[in-house]
Amino acid sequence: LKDKRQTVRSLVQQARNKFNAAVAETGDLDDPRAATITVAVVSNSAPHADEMLQTILSFMEGRLAMGVVNEVGTELIPLGG
């Protein structure tokens, strides 16, 4: 569990630093075999936000030494008035 936390913490910090996005481990905290990571970005363009999320996902997938991305969900929330 300690190794998992160190790995996830490193991945989350790298993504935060590289993409200036909100990134956090949000689930499966006590499961040594899984991690749930949530990423949030803000943009004035839905296609741009989606592109940013895809880029971050690719970045994270490229850094998984022995893991795989199992499930990805995306939600675009339009703001405005």
Side-chain angles (χ1 to χ4, degrees):
L1 195 58
K2 196 173 189 180
D3 290 337
K4 174 218 167 176
R5 286 193 175 134
Q6 181 180 10
T7 300
V8 171
R9 192 176 310 123
S10 174
L11 181 61
V12 165
Q13 193 61 49
Q14 287 176 40
R16 281 182 189 155
N17 293 343
K18 184 169 178 69
F19 299 103
N20 193 28
V23 184
E25 183 180 13
T26 57
D28 299 313
L29 299 175
D30 294 327
D31 185 345
R33 299 163 297 140
T36 299
I37 299 174
T38 300
V39 179
V41 298
V42 177
S43 177
N44 61 356
S45 163
H48 180 252
D50 192 49
E51 180 182 332
M52 289 172 62
L53 291 171
Q54 291 302 319
T55 301
I56 295 168
L57 176 61
S58 294
F59 172 83
M60 290 182 154
E61 286 177 324
R63 277 151 185 77
L64 294 176
M66 296 176 59
V68 296
V69 173
N70 210 12
E71 191 176 320
V72 175
T74 303
E75 181 178 0
L76 295 174
I77 302 171
L79 299 176

